[in-house]
Amino acid sequence: MRVVVYQGQYGVFKKDELDLTMPAVQTCIGLYAISEQHDYILCAHFDTELRLLQNLQDIKQSLERKGISIMSLRATIFGGDGIQSYMRCTSPSTHIGNKIIHFLKTQGSFAEYSSQNYSGFVPKTFNFIYKRGCKITEGRNPRDFSGGSPLAEQLAIKRIRVRPEHYTFAQAKMEDVSRLYL
């Protein structure tokens, strides 16, 4: 199954025969988490701190609906704080990643910030890829954006028309795109 997780979206997916990308995590925060007890992966592409706790609670509920305990997750957070962070995320954006890590740890998950895939002061574009294993690549690859749900793509286009600092509380709600890939 081909899945694309765009900014402002998250999903919980069965790993069997999964071909997933989460492209262009350069100005935002990416999260991927493997359930150690289940055959699922969680991916989330955060682009704002607004409504962060509620979005994390929504993600937790999505996991629970699939019978997955948040405590079974081994999570990696990446991206943030490049100069381009000022274009999309509130700056500096690593504080968002640190809040995500704190939330996950207080829920009993293992969570860490990737020291290798962190923008720092030099802007970098990171892309998460899952195809029989996890990989983060640098640069831009048009294939990473293609082949996903047309509705997920439309939701992403609608979201990027507004800069995160202008989001309303309702606009900051992340979309669970799991249902689009059944």
Side-chain angles (χ1 to χ4, degrees):
M1 168 174 53
R2 177 75 179 126
V3 173
V4 181
V5 178
Y6 299 98
Q7 107 182 25
Q9 298 178 358
Y10 69 92
V12 181
F13 308 101
K14 195 119 175 87
K15 294 188 304 184
D16 293 342
E17 302 195 30
L18 180 63
D19 178 8
L20 179 146
T21 55
M22 185 166 46
V25 180
Q26 69 189 47
T27 59
C28 306
I29 300 294
L31 168 131
Y32 69 91
I34 303 293
S35 171
E36 295 183 1
Q37 298 172 350
H38 305 88
D39 195 28
Y40 281 89
I41 185 169
L42 160 69
C43 286
H45 192 157
F46 296 88
D47 64 354
T48 182
E49 182 176 12
L50 183 62
R51 202 183 182 286
L52 182 62
L53 183 57
Q54 292 85 350
N55 284 328
L56 289 166
Q57 290 290 353
D58 291 347
I59 290 169
K60 180 181 177 190
Q61 289 174 354
S62 184
L63 288 161
E64 290 170 349
R65 281 191 296 275
K66 293 190 183 292
I68 303 168
S69 167
I70 197 166
M71 293 180 357
S72 74
L73 296 181
R74 184 167 189 81
T76 300
I77 288 75
F78 62 99
D81 276 2
I83 293 168
Q84 294 176 3
S85 294
Y86 294 89
M87 294 170 59
R88 291 299 306 164
C89 288
T90 54
S91 56
S93 58
T94 51
H95 75 281
I96 298 170
N98 289 326
K99 287 181 178 185
I100 294 166
I101 289 170
H102 177 74
F103 174 84
L104 292 170
K105 284 184 174 181
T106 61
Q107 298 296 310
S109 297
F110 173 85
E112 66 183 359
Y113 219 115
S114 169
S115 59
Q116 291 179 310
N117 304 113
Y118 161 71
S119 295
F121 295 109
V122 178
K124 296 179 184 175
T125 298
F126 296 111
N127 310 287
F128 176 75
I129 299 167
Y130 183 88
K131 194 167 187 175
R132 291 183 295 262
C134 300
K135 181 168 55 168
I136 297 175
T137 61
E138 281 188 47
R140 296 175 190 264
N141 182 348
R143 185 231 180 254
D144 291 343
F145 289 92
S146 65
S149 162
L151 182 53
E153 185 175 357
Q154 289 172 8
L155 291 168
I157 290 168
K158 180 180 174 186
R159 187 175 184 99
I160 64 172
R161 288 187 178 142
V162 179
R163 291 175 55 89
E165 65 266 18
H166 297 126
Y167 285 168
T168 64
F169 192 77
Q171 289 170 318
K173 180 175 175 48
M174 293 177 70
E175 290 283 337
D176 182 353
V177 296
S178 306
R179 62 182 161 65
L180 302 177
Y181 295 101
L182 297 175

